[in-house]
Amino acid sequence: MPSSNSTSKTKNQSKPGRKTTPSFVCEVPLRVTLPQEQTLQIRFEVARQVYNAWLGEALRRMRLYRQSQAYHQARKIPRSQGKERAAAFAAARLAVGFTE
């Protein structure tokens, strides 16, 4: 592991054949007191739990969406009928609550 005050160049990992742009990562250590560190740990843990709850709900709704009859009907619409197909998918998503 590089030292905490060092900077390192990393190469973007992408699919073969794609152009990559160089990226640069700089890690800077936080200097906090013990109470600040405890507060940060609590907040990170709460954020992790909330994120996982949202992710779990999104995955559940996506599963329902992909199992729905409306989704399978929308897939049968030819891609050449783009607007109708998009509207059918939107209605299927709305039916199971899979929205932003």
Side-chain angles (χ1 to χ4, degrees):
M1 180 177 211
S3 65
S4 59
N5 63 355
S6 69
T7 54
S8 61
K9 265 190 169 178
T10 60
K11 190 174 185 178
N12 284 343
Q13 301 295 323
S14 64
K15 295 180 181 177
R18 282 196 171 178
K19 293 183 179 180
T20 60
T21 19
S23 60
F24 195 76
V25 176
C26 179
E27 294 181 7
V28 181
L30 279 179
R31 292 188 181 188
V32 294
T33 63
L34 184 60
Q36 290 173 327
E37 182 180 352
Q38 291 170 340
T39 301
L40 283 173
Q41 286 178 342
I42 290 169
R43 290 181 180 177
F44 282 135
E45 178 62 18
V46 169
R48 183 189 67 80
Q49 290 177 1
V50 168
Y51 172 80
N52 285 335
W54 285 337
L55 179 61
E57 181 64 18
L59 291 172
R60 184 185 72 80
R61 290 183 187 192
M62 185 178 65
R63 235 182 347 268
L64 287 173
Y65 166 63
R66 289 188 176 163
Q67 291 173 355
S68 72
Q69 188 65 27
Y71 172 78
H72 290 285
Q73 292 297 323
R75 286 192 62 188
K76 291 179 182 177
I77 299 172
R79 290 180 188 260
S80 60
Q81 298 174 349
K83 289 186 180 184
E84 291 175 29
R85 184 177 163 103
F89 278 120
R93 282 190 303 273
L94 191 59
V96 295
F98 192 61
T99 62
E100 289 183 30

